[in-house]
Amino acid sequence: MKGSDRSPAPAPAEVVRMFDRIAPAYDAMNSVMTAGIDARWRRETIAALRLRPGMHVLDVATGTGKLALAAARRVGRDGAVVGLDPSRAMLERARRAGARQVPAARLSWVRGDALALPFPDASFDAVSIGFGLRNLADLELGLREMARVCRPGGRVAVLEIAEPRNPVARLLFGTWFRRVVPRLGSLIGLGSAYAYLPASLDRYPGPEEVARRMADAGLAHVGWRWLATDLATLHVGTRMLDG
């Protein structure tokens, strides 16, 4: 049952420590887990934000910064992008990637909490979160915070792994993510961290419920769709105009 209390969520500090541990292997494991399709998912997320030169963008739970760097390339030298994450190790890798790629936009990395974003209301033209919403201790508060810092008329995009509906695809998904991925993690000494993935998916609501919660958070015209291979969903909503 999606979104159930089948397994208790770990404490937020424990989740941060886990991401600190897996930071060196994070990008490589993502590519292995998704057969490299995660890059295409991120491109579709950036396209859905409809970024233009000069925009200001926030990427929540930025991890190693891949979405933030992609956004920086879109908004150009007159734009600005902030990548926020609670993990020091992830942000360090994001900083290194940013220094190598030298995007034209103003790019900054902030260690912070997605449930208490350290930015004023309506600070950004667009807000994204990729593979991070299911890790938040309070999904509703996280969505409200993303809506709060987005300017009226701006877009909020949520990219997340999701369990497919097709029975055959679901069987393959279960075998891969619940059995093979934790074993791969064990081979590199991160078995407990990658056993966390299926547990976090068990707690994550279905896509229709995520859309409803986005609307409750103050986002309008919320839509969602399955992405390539039906192993991820992309939700997009527009911050409601004041009044």
Side-chain angles (χ1 to χ4, degrees):
M1 190 169 99
K2 299 300 291 178
S4 72
D5 293 326
R6 182 185 304 177
S7 58
E14 183 180 343
V15 174
V16 174
R17 286 193 293 271
M18 179 197 70
F19 279 104
D20 281 339
R21 290 197 307 275
I22 69 173
Y26 182 77
D27 287 335
M29 281 293 289
N30 273 2
S31 293
V32 169
M33 287 189 300
T34 67
I37 202 70
D38 58 309
R40 176 174 171 182
W41 294 341
R42 282 189 292 271
R43 287 196 297 271
E44 293 188 46
T45 302
I46 292 297
L49 288 173
R50 299 178 183 172
L51 301 180
R52 300 186 304 276
M55 280 187 164
H56 289 207
V57 182
L58 171 65
D59 183 41
V60 179
T62 196
T64 58
K66 287 185 177 292
L67 268 178
L69 290 167
R73 288 188 285 271
R74 288 292 186 97
V75 301
R77 67 179 65 255
D78 294 325
V81 176
V82 176
L84 177 138
D85 202 278
S87 166
R88 292 183 188 276
M90 287 288 191
L91 286 175
E92 180 56 32
R93 297 188 75 83
R95 288 190 186 98
R96 292 176 187 172
R100 287 194 303 269
Q101 297 185 33
V102 195
R106 287 171 289 157
L107 182 62
S108 56
W109 308 104
V110 175
R111 185 168 182 259
D113 184 355
L115 304 185
L117 293 173
F119 310 108
D121 295 356
S123 297
F124 299 95
D125 299 299
V127 181
S128 62
I129 183 169
F131 312 121
L133 192 63
R134 72 177 188 281
N135 298 316
L136 302 188
D138 187 330
L139 186 150
E140 289 83 359
L141 178 56
L143 290 171
R144 288 200 302 272
E145 278 291 277
M146 286 186 279
R148 177 184 67 79
V149 301
C150 190
R151 291 173 183 157
R155 295 192 135 206
V156 174
V158 177
L159 168 64
E160 191 54 87
I161 296 289
E163 189 166 357
R165 300 284 175 81
N166 178 281
V168 175
R170 180 177 292 187
L171 176 62
L172 294 172
F173 176 93
T175 300
W176 182 248
F177 281 99
R178 300 180 193 282
R179 297 182 183 180
V180 177
V181 167
R183 291 177 184 174
L184 291 174
S186 295
L187 292 175
I188 58 173
L190 297 170
S192 61
Y194 281 95
Y196 165 84
L197 174 62
S200 68
L201 290 170
D202 285 342
R203 291 186 294 270
Y204 190 65
E208 294 87 358
E209 177 65 12
V210 173
R212 185 189 68 77
R213 295 188 194 189
M214 289 178 70
D216 289 346
L219 298 170
H221 312 298
V222 177
W224 68 274
R225 60 189 173 90
W226 291 99
L227 299 181
T229 70
D230 287 350
L231 295 180
T233 53
L234 176 59
H235 287 72
V236 181
T238 303
R239 179 70 171 92
M240 294 176 63
L241 298 174
D242 293 336

